[in-house]
Every structure is written in C-alpha cells, then in structure tokens.
Amino acid sequence: MTAKDTSEVLVIRPKRATWMAVVLSVVLFAVFVVVSVLLRGSRTGVIFAVSDQIAMVGIGVVLAGGALLFATPRVRADAEGIEVRNILLLNKKLAWHEVLSVSFPDGASFARLELPDFEYQGMLAIQAVDREHAVRSVRALRRLHKQAWADR
C-alpha cells in the first residue's frame, strides 16, 4: 500500500466488514430457503402455495443482496485525487487540493477526509475494526495527500 510512483493507484477495501457481509448474506439466504421449504408442511390452518415458497426465496435473495451492499465500500486514490465509494454505490471523486487532511478521529468507526467549511467525507472502506490494515491505509493516503500538496 505504498505510493512508490505517481502513476500507482491505491485501492482500499474493508476486510472484516466484507467477511461479515458475505456470511450474513449466506445465512439470510439459507434461512429463507429453509423457511420456504418448511412452509408447505406447516399445520397452521393456512394454505401456502408454491408461489408463497417462491416469494420467500425471493425475499431471501433481496435481503442477502442488501447485506452484500456492506461489502462494496472502496477508496481509490492516486497522485491526482481520491475516489470514495460507500454503501450506496455512489462514487465521490475529489482532487487532492480539495482535501484538507486525512483523519481518523479518536473513537470513530471509520476514517474521513476533512474538507473546507468544516465538512468531511466518511470513508467506510477504512474501518477501525480492521486495525493494522486501517493504519496502513490511512498512512498511505496521507503520503499521497502530502505529495500532492507538495507538488502544488
């Protein structure tokens, strides 16, 4: 994760959040498949059709897909700027001259980019639960930021 030359692109993704999102999505899908299989055999007095079973599997697919959204955060940085993608798959591209600093406040769950006028952009790809990975990532971004400001 070091910026050896100016053409290098640094890509950062969360580690533990990705694993947790994958495990959660598999569990959600499996639970809804099991419920849909057991739905026809229940003796509740309600008549469940095959369409109800298909709907339960569909709900499981939607919920599993929603859980996988937590695996999508990414930060991509190079000598020109930084691109932040958080959960909603919307990318925000900033030039380094727009960023005042890269910070990880005490007690915060994720790192952030300090912007003018007391604004900031959170980076969910760099999370406190990733510990050493988060430290290396913030240091690499700070090196790129410092280099970009020195070149100005």
Side-chain angles (χ1 to χ4, degrees), residues 103-117:
S103 67
F104 207 129
D106 288 339
S109 298
F110 50 86
R112 64 190 196 183
L113 300 172
E114 302 293 338
L115 303 173
D117 297 327

Side-chain angles (χ1 to χ4, degrees), residues 53-135:
Q53 291 176 299
I54 293 170
M56 288 300 283
V57 172
I59 291 170
V61 168
V62 169
L63 291 177
L68 283 176
L69 285 176
F70 290 98
T72 62
R74 181 191 70 208
V75 170
R76 183 179 290 164
D78 58 16
E80 301 299 316
I82 185 167
E83 180 181 335
V84 178
R85 180 176 71 194
N86 288 328
I87 292 175
L88 296 176
L89 300 174
L90 299 173
N91 295 341
K92 180 156 186 170
K93 179 103 170 126
L94 298 165
W96 281 121
H97 71 273
E98 297 176 84
V99 177
L100 299 178
S101 67
V102 178
S103 67
F104 207 129
D106 288 339
S109 298
F110 50 86
R112 64 190 196 183
L113 300 172
E114 302 293 338
L115 303 173
D117 297 327
F118 302 104
E119 293 183 21
Y120 65 89
Q121 172 67 45
M123 296 183 289
L124 296 179
I126 306 173
Q127 299 185 2
V129 295
D130 286 337
R131 301 177 193 230
E132 189 60 35
H133 174 67
V135 171

